[in-house]
Amino acid sequence: MKEPFLDNSEGQLFLTEAFKVIIEEVLCKGTDVKEKVCEWREPEELAALLDLELRENGEPQHQLLQRIRDVAKYSVKTNHPRFFNQLFAGVDYHALTGRFLTEALNTSQYTYEVAPVFVLMEDEVLSKLRSLVGWAEGDGIFCPGGTMSNMYAMNVARYRAFPEVKLKGLWSLPRLAVFTSQQSHYSVMKAAAFQGIGTENVFKVKVDDRGCMIPEDLGETIELAKSQGAVPFFVHATSGTTVQGAFDPLEPIADICDRQGLWMHVDAAWGGSVLFSKEHKHLMRGVERADSVTWNPHKMMLTGLQCSAILLKDTTHLLKHCHSADATYLFQQDKFYDSSLDTGDKSIQCGRKVDCLKLWLMWKAVGSKGLEERVDRAFAHTRYLVEEMKKREENIFFSHFYLTYENSPDYNDRLSKVAPVIKERMMKQGTMMLGYQPQGGRVNFFRMIVISPQLSHQDMTFCLNEIERLGNDL
C-alpha cells in the first residue's frame, strides 16, 4: 500500500496546514510580549506530554498537527523580545524565508553540479564579508558553528607551519603551543584536544579589568612557552568575548605575531558584525592584519542558526590543501565545467548544509545600511540598560541583601545562590530568560544579551524590574 505522505498532494496539504501552526504558535505567539518565553515542565512530565515513543504504525494528519502544536508550545521562544539567554535571539523574516527555502531545496554545498546557485552565492557572500574585514582577496567557507570555524583556523595554521602533519601525523611534530586569553571561548581548548595538540599546550594570557587580552603578557607567555621547549604557532584573539563582550587590542597583538612569525586568528563570532557600523568598527581596529577570522552572522546579524564563516587572508589555497582528500566520485578533474567551482574539498565534511542563502536574502532585503542600523541599535539599548542600572545601584532588593549579610562569613556563598534562584523563578513563571555564571573572583552574576531588533527600552526596563520582583524575598 502506498504511504500517504509519499503522495505529493497529501504531503503538500499537510505542509500547508503545518505552516499555519508554525506561523501562529511560533511567529505570532512566540514574538508577543504578552505570551510566555517558555512553558516550563519537568523532564518526566514533558516527556509524557509529548508522547515521544516511536511506534510500529504511523499517525493521522490531525494528530501530527497536534504534535507540531505541542512541540511549539513547550519549546523555548527564542524569538521572544524577553529572551536574553543566548547570543542568538529574535527573528528576521527574510532570513527565515531563506532557511525554509534551504530546507525545501535540500542540497549539499560541495559541488557546482548539485548546488550551482549556492556555490556562486557563497562565494559572493564570503567575498563581501572579507571586504568588511579589509581584505581584497582571500578564502573561506561556511562552517557548522563558531567552534568549528575556530577549529578550522587552528588546523590550517598548523598545516602552514608543518605541512608534513597531513601525511605523517603527530609523530612528525614538536610540542606545539597555542596562545589565547583567559576569557576566550572554550572552543580553543576543544580544538587543541581534538587536533592532538593537547589542552596543556594552550597558554592562557592575562586580561585586564575589561576582559581584554594584555599584549605585554602575550609576549611574556610566548617566551615562557619557548623556554619550556614548546614551539609557538597560533595566537587566538577575540573580538567580543562570550561573557564580558570584550574586544582584544588587535594592533599590538598583530605586532607580536608579525615579529614571532605566528598565525593570528580573530574569533569575532560575536563581535564581527561591528564591522558594519561606522560608529563601532573601531573596536576591531587592526583586524585586517589577522590571518583568519571567525564570524557568526547568526548572532548579531539575526540570520538564524546556524550561520558561521571562517575567513582567510590566504590566497594559496591552504584551506583546500589542508583538508582535501580528492574523492574521485565527487571531485573529478575532467568535468565539463570549471572544477575549481567544486569547493567541497575545502571542508572536513562531505555533505555540507547551505548556510549562505538566509544571509544573502536578508542582506538583499535590508542592505548593509540596515545591518549597520541593527548593530547601532543593539549598542544603544545596551547604553540605556547601563544607565538604568546605574540609577538603581541602591535598589531595595540588593541593598537589603547586602545590609543583611555583608558581615556574614558565608556572604559570597549566599550571594552566589541569588542568581540561580531568580533564574529558576523566571523560567517557571515564563516571564523572561536571562543567563548567569561566575567568572574569576566574581560569584554568579547575570549575563545580559542585547541583540534582537524587536527589543525596546521598555524591555530593558522590564528586565531590571523583573529581577527585583523575583528576588525581593531573598
Side-chain angles (χ1 to χ4, degrees):
M1 187 175 74
K2 188 175 182 181
E3 292 183 38
F5 285 101
L6 291 182
D7 179 270
N8 281 333
S9 59
E10 288 288 330
Q12 290 165 13
L13 176 61
F14 175 76
L15 184 60
T16 300
E17 294 302 313
F19 262 115
K20 292 178 183 177
V21 175
I22 291 169
I23 290 173
E24 177 61 27
E25 298 295 330
V26 179
L27 299 176
C28 292
K29 292 182 180 178
T31 59
D32 187 345
V33 74
K34 298 186 292 297
E35 297 283 343
K36 291 184 177 182
V37 178
C38 64
E39 192 75 45
W40 177 261
R41 293 291 187 277
E42 295 297 331
E44 297 81 6
E45 182 187 2
L46 182 59
L49 284 168
L50 295 175
D51 186 20
L52 295 172
E53 182 185 351
L54 298 173
R55 302 180 177 88
E56 285 293 318
N57 296 318
E59 298 178 342
Q61 178 169 314
H62 73 272
Q63 192 166 356
L64 292 172
L65 290 172
Q66 184 57 48
R67 302 282 188 211
I68 294 172
R69 290 188 185 93
D70 290 342
V71 168
K73 178 179 180 179
Y74 295 110
S75 291
V76 173
K77 308 307 186 296
T78 63
N79 299 329
H80 196 285
R82 289 168 185 173
F83 175 82
F84 308 113
N85 208 68
Q86 252 72 47
L87 294 173
F88 58 88
V91 60
D92 178 284
Y93 289 96
H94 299 101
L96 182 59
T97 300
R99 289 153 69 188
F100 286 147
L101 183 54
T102 296
E103 295 299 327
L105 289 170
N106 188 39
T107 193
S108 178
Q109 180 93 51
Y110 47 30
T111 64
Y112 183 78
E113 64 184 271
V114 297
V117 171
F118 302 126
V119 165
L120 299 179
M121 185 181 293
E122 182 179 60
D123 182 65
E124 173 62 25
V125 173
L126 291 172
S127 176
K128 194 69 173 181
L129 292 174
R130 286 194 303 268
S131 71
L132 288 167
V133 171
W135 302 332
E137 298 180 283
D139 204 349
I141 197 171
F142 278 96
C143 302
T147 290
M148 288 303 300
S149 295
N150 289 338
M151 286 185 174
Y152 269 84
M154 189 181 294
N155 202 40
V156 174
R158 182 175 64 175
Y159 177 80
R160 185 186 72 168
F162 301 96
E164 64 271 21
V165 69
K166 183 175 179 179
L167 294 176
K168 298 180 180 180
L170 298 179
W171 296 101
S172 64
L173 299 183
R175 177 191 172 195
L176 300 180
V178 171
F179 303 88
T180 192
S181 87
Q182 294 170 333
Q183 291 195 20
S184 65
H185 193 260
Y186 65 85
S187 59
V188 182
M189 302 296 283
K190 283 181 174 284
F194 185 75
Q195 295 175 26
I197 293 167
T199 57
E200 289 186 355
N201 296 313
V202 176
F203 290 78
K204 296 293 184 71
V205 181
K206 294 176 183 176
V207 298
D208 59 24
D209 290 341
R210 296 173 300 155
C212 304
M213 182 189 290
I214 301 173
E216 293 77 13
D217 191 63
L218 171 62
E220 293 173 5
T221 306
I222 290 172
E223 295 306 317
L224 173 65
K226 288 180 178 178
S227 72
Q228 295 176 1
V231 177
F233 81 103
F234 185 76
V235 173
H236 178 108
T238 308
S239 289
T241 57
T242 308
V243 178
Q244 283 189 256
F247 286 75
D248 289 341
L250 301 182
E251 288 281 16
I253 292 172
D255 290 339
I256 293 170
C257 290
D258 285 349
R259 287 197 300 269
Q260 299 279 355
L262 305 180
W263 184 286
M264 177 180 169
H265 175 64
V266 178
D267 178 1
W270 172 227
S273 297
V274 303
L275 293 174
F276 279 98
S277 170
K278 290 185 286 292
E279 182 180 355
H280 299 103
K281 66 181 180 180
H282 67 88
L283 293 167
M284 291 183 63
R285 184 176 293 118
V287 66
E288 72 282 353
R289 298 177 63 187
D291 294 288
S292 56
V293 173
T294 289
W295 189 342
N296 284 11
H298 69 238
K299 291 180 177 171
M300 204 180 294
M301 289 171 66
L302 298 179
T303 59
L305 289 166
Q306 59 194 8
C307 190
S308 176
I310 174 67
L311 308 173
L312 289 86
K313 185 191 293 182
D314 172 72
T315 58
T316 66
H317 307 294
L318 273 176
L319 193 59
K320 182 176 181 179
H321 294 321
C322 180
H323 298 131
S324 64
D326 300 317
T328 55
Y329 76 97
L330 283 175
F331 308 117
Q332 304 93 333
Q333 296 305 298
D334 55 357
K335 290 185 175 182
F336 65 92
Y337 60 84
D338 181 0
S339 60
S340 68
L341 292 166
D342 294 347
T343 57
D345 237 3
K346 295 180 182 182
S347 171
I348 61 172
Q349 302 167 251
C350 178
R352 186 161 64 91
K353 189 177 180 65
V354 173
D355 285 327
C356 59
L357 173 56
K358 52 200 166 196
L359 174 54
W360 178 85
L361 191 60
M362 179 185 72
W363 205 331
K364 279 284 192 180
V366 304
S368 299
K369 183 65 177 175
L371 297 175
E372 177 182 23
E373 290 171 357
R374 289 183 184 181
V375 173
D376 291 344
R377 191 181 307 128
F379 275 87
H381 284 319
T382 302
R383 288 191 291 269
Y384 174 82
L385 181 68
V386 170
E387 290 304 313
E388 287 299 301
M389 289 172 65
K390 289 178 179 178
K391 294 176 185 177
R392 302 175 187 224
E393 285 182 349
E394 299 300 324
N395 73 71
I396 297 172
F397 162 54
F398 288 108
S399 295
H400 168 74
F401 188 93
Y402 178 75
L403 293 172
T404 303
Y405 299 113
E406 64 172 320
N407 296 317
S408 172
D410 61 349
Y411 172 74
N412 278 341
D413 182 58
R414 289 176 179 270
L415 184 59
S416 71
K417 296 175 181 177
V418 171
V421 170
I422 293 176
K423 176 64 177 282
E424 178 183 2
R425 291 176 178 181
M426 72 174 70
M427 290 285 291
K428 290 184 175 179
Q429 295 179 31
T431 54
M432 67 178 184
M433 279 186 66
L434 182 64
Y436 71 86
Q437 71 287 307
Q439 186 181 57
R442 302 183 183 95
V443 299
N444 284 324
F445 59 92
F446 287 112
R447 180 186 75 150
M448 180 70 173
I449 308 296
V450 180
I451 175 175
S452 171
Q454 284 86 16
L455 287 178
S456 65
H457 284 179
Q458 288 82 358
D459 295 312
M460 303 291 98
T461 302
F462 174 85
C463 179
L464 297 178
N465 290 342
E466 187 67 359
I467 290 174
E468 292 183 21
R469 184 187 73 82
L470 294 169
N472 63 10
D473 63 336
L474 296 178

